[in-house]
Amino acid sequence: MLDVDFLIENGKIYTMDTNDTWYETGSIAINNGHIVAIGPSHVIKKQYIAKEKINADGKYIFPGLINTHTHLFQTVLKGFAYDLHLHDWLNTVIRPYIPHLDAEVCYLAALAGCIEALHSGATAILDYMYAHPQPNLSDVILQAFDELGIRGFLARGFSEKLYGTNKQMGMVEEREDFLADTLRLHFKYSNRIWLAPTAIWNMTDTGLRTVCDFAREHQIPITMHLNETKLDDTFCREQYNKTALAYLEEIGLLNQYFLAVHCVHIDARGATTLKRNNVKISYNPVSNMILGSGAMPVAIFQKQQLNLSLGTDGAASNDSLNMLETMKIAALLPKVISHDPTVISARDIMRMATIDGARALGLEKEIGSLEAGKKADLIIYNPLKPQSFPMHDPLATLVYTSNPTNIDTVIIDGKVVMTGNRIVTIDEERVLEKARIVARRFVKKIY
Ligand SMILES: [Zn+2]
């Protein structure tokens, strides 16, 4: 018998491995943050002992959900303005506030946002931090990740200019300052840091090429908003006499270490360009619907077997960080636009939210499925809630009829972060109350 840190026993386990293995009565042995063994309970119990045990009898165990795109600072701007196009929304809801952001606001916004994310089953999150009115605001977001115990990554945003205005808005930076701060973060936080030029129309040709060279030199992945609206192509045709994708391919930005966010206005030809370069995609359907940006062509992308992951986008254009809601809408939207309910399945969505999300982050060998040797990032789902009864098909129930009350336990890196629907790493009520007060004070700076 081998001693391990703890055992999760007698749950119905959906591993999301390549064979879609599931166990009707399964157990997981966890040691040093990793899954040591997973299998039928009667087998695991004969091989492993642990002082600490979690009885998952009657519950379901899934890999933790992975959110590949958000802007946590926007949590304090949630529910603030509606019915605006992207650029009107940017200019009225987002940009005027950014100069007033400080470390306290960013820190509490990140904590509050991650609390909501955890309750919806998210165990990993890639934050895209493009607001820099003060130095080191990225650091407080990483601090919030660590205090909560969520697996957090930070994409260091960069704008050389702001399309449509000459103002700086706490976003525009000198190239040297951006590169120096990214390098500082890279040395401090290692592979948790990404590069994030905000959009083609906020960058110069030299600036984007410099980011590409820097990424290659330091082996840092890049993520960027791409073809969220038609402006990317219009801008690139005017500036470079070609489409956005043709331009990005030419400068070497399209590759397997690039995560493109949105990709709404891309046709079949564009999809082949993405596939040819093995680009990963973050699909953000709720934000695309709220801003009226359009619907990502999921069917075309699936035909090309592109790696699709799921993002909520920032809470100011969602207005939530609820991954369960995002999963449902990610399934419904392609069915509506294609008039075809078979275009996407609950299983497809679950893979986007787990193993394909891990692949988008370059972490498919470490997280995204429940397999021996991988990190122990998982959720324990309580089906005995009105919305999820009677759970004939667990994946369909998870995607179509779940809400955060179903997420009983969240384990990240082998540590219990939430149990009995309560986060154990911080005092949730205290944080949310502080965040509420700070959010009120923050928006009053403008209104
Ligand atoms: Zn975004």
Side-chain angles (χ1 to χ4, degrees):
M1 295 282 269
L2 284 172
D3 232 322
V4 291
D5 290 342
F6 68 95
L7 284 168
I8 305 173
E9 296 184 324
N10 306 325
K12 296 177 198 305
I13 305 174
Y14 281 75
T15 65
M16 302 310 293
D17 67 8
T18 43
N19 301 318
D20 279 341
T21 308
W22 67 281
Y23 302 100
E24 177 66 29
T25 308
S27 293
I28 305 174
I30 295 171
N31 204 42
N32 281 333
H34 287 79
I35 297 170
V36 177
I38 182 167
S41 286
H42 65 274
V43 175
I44 301 294
K45 277 180 193 168
K46 279 184 200 152
Q47 296 174 349
Y48 297 93
I49 50 167
K51 277 197 197 86
E52 205 181 324
K53 291 181 181 178
I54 294 174
N55 183 8
D57 190 15
K59 298 192 174 80
Y60 292 77
I61 303 171
F62 300 103
L65 308 179
I66 297 169
N67 184 350
T68 60
H69 184 74
T70 189
H71 310 284
L72 283 166
F73 81 86
Q74 291 182 7
T75 307
V76 288
L77 296 170
K78 185 193 285 186
F80 199 47
Y82 291 96
D83 313 326
L84 297 164
H85 287 282
L86 175 69
H87 287 273
D88 297 331
W89 172 82
L90 280 172
N91 287 324
T92 57
V93 183
I94 301 298
R95 288 174 176 167
Y97 290 92
I98 287 178
H100 303 282
L101 279 174
D102 60 24
E104 185 188 30
V105 175
C106 286
Y107 169 69
L108 286 167
L111 278 181
C114 288
I115 287 172
E116 188 189 8
L118 283 168
H119 275 285
S120 74
T123 55
I125 196 161
L126 173 59
D127 188 53
Y128 193 122
M129 179 53 173
Y130 60 83
H132 309 288
Q134 295 181 11
N136 303 346
L137 294 185
S138 305
D139 297 68
V140 298
I141 292 171
L142 287 147
Q143 183 190 339
F145 289 149
D146 292 344
E147 287 177 11
L148 268 169
I150 197 166
R151 193 178 297 284
F153 301 86
L154 186 124
R156 176 54 168 86
F158 178 40
S159 307
E160 290 187 289
K161 56 192 170 118
L162 294 183
Y163 183 83
T165 174
N166 290 323
K167 294 180 184 164
Q168 308 285 307
M169 300 287 200
M171 287 175 63
V172 174
E173 292 175 290
E174 293 297 327
R175 214 173 292 153
E176 295 70 32
D177 295 340
F178 159 69
L179 295 177
D181 193 47
T182 304
L183 210 51
R184 177 188 71 79
L185 291 163
H186 176 62
F187 287 133
K188 191 171 173 187
Y189 300 99
S190 177
N191 59 2
R192 296 172 69 189
I193 302 302
W194 287 55
L195 289 155
T198 49
I200 289 178
W201 29 266
N202 281 346
M203 298 291 293
T204 63
D205 178 49
T206 313
L208 260 185
R209 288 175 190 267
T210 304
V211 171
C212 285
D213 293 344
F214 185 84
R216 249 191 309 274
E217 185 187 345
H218 297 284
Q219 297 188 309
I220 306 177
I222 301 176
T223 182
M224 184 171 79
H225 299 102
L226 181 63
N227 290 79
E228 180 175 1
T229 65
K230 290 180 177 166
L231 178 62
D232 293 42
D233 278 335
T234 311
F235 177 85
C236 285
R237 281 206 176 90
E238 279 171 13
Q239 292 288 319
Y240 310 120
N241 200 24
K242 53 189 69 153
T243 65
L245 283 174
Y247 166 67
L248 293 180
E249 187 174 39
E250 181 194 292
I251 67 169
L253 194 134
L254 302 186
N255 58 51
Q256 61 178 315
Y257 306 110
F258 178 55
L259 176 63
V261 181
H262 297 305
C263 297
V264 169
H265 297 279
I266 290 181
D267 58 14
R269 192 157 168 231
T272 62
T273 305
L274 292 171
K275 182 63 185 174
R276 183 165 64 238
N277 293 283
N278 200 11
V279 169
K280 312 294 191 297
I281 292 168
S282 178
Y283 171 34
N284 292 241
V286 181
S287 171
N288 297 152
M289 290 168 78
I290 283 187
L291 294 172
S293 301
M296 194 184 86
V298 170
I300 291 172
F301 287 178
Q302 283 196 316
K303 201 182 268 179
Q304 288 290 340
Q305 297 184 312
L306 281 159
N307 189 84
L308 308 181
S309 63
L310 292 183
T312 54
D313 211 346
S317 68
N318 183 301
D319 287 51
S320 163
L321 292 169
N322 183 339
M323 278 295 285
L324 295 169
E325 184 183 76
T326 290
M327 287 166 80
K328 179 170 183 172
I329 291 174
L332 298 184
L333 184 57
K335 294 175 195 286
V336 170
I337 61 159
S338 63
H339 300 181
D340 179 4
T342 69
V343 73
I344 196 164
S345 68
R347 179 182 172 276
D348 294 334
I349 294 292
M350 190 54 183
R351 294 194 78 80
M352 289 180 195
T354 56
I355 187 63
D356 292 342
R359 199 168 283 114
L361 301 184
L363 296 173
E364 68 275 17
K365 291 194 172 74
E366 295 179 52
I367 57 172
S369 61
L370 302 178
E371 299 178 66
K374 282 198 163 182
K375 290 181 173 168
D377 287 12
L378 58 90
I379 55 177
I380 303 179
Y381 180 103
N382 180 4
L384 288 180
K385 299 289 175 186
Q387 69 276 4
S388 49
F389 175 82
M391 205 150 179
H392 291 307
D393 178 339
L395 289 186
T397 302
L398 181 71
V399 171
Y400 291 115
T401 65
S402 298
N403 72 37
T405 62
N406 292 111
I407 309 299
D408 181 86
T409 300
V410 176
I411 292 174
I412 303 172
D413 215 30
K415 295 179 192 73
V416 176
V417 174
M418 190 169 94
T419 180
N421 210 240
R422 301 279 309 163
I423 292 174
V424 297
T425 45
I426 52 150
D427 183 336
E428 286 183 63
E429 274 77 29
R430 229 181 109 240
V431 168
L432 293 178
E433 178 57 11
K434 272 172 94 173
R436 186 186 68 81
I437 292 164
V438 165
R440 288 294 303 157
R441 204 164 60 214
F442 180 59
V443 297
K444 277 185 180 167
K445 285 183 177 171
I446 302 290
Y447 281 93

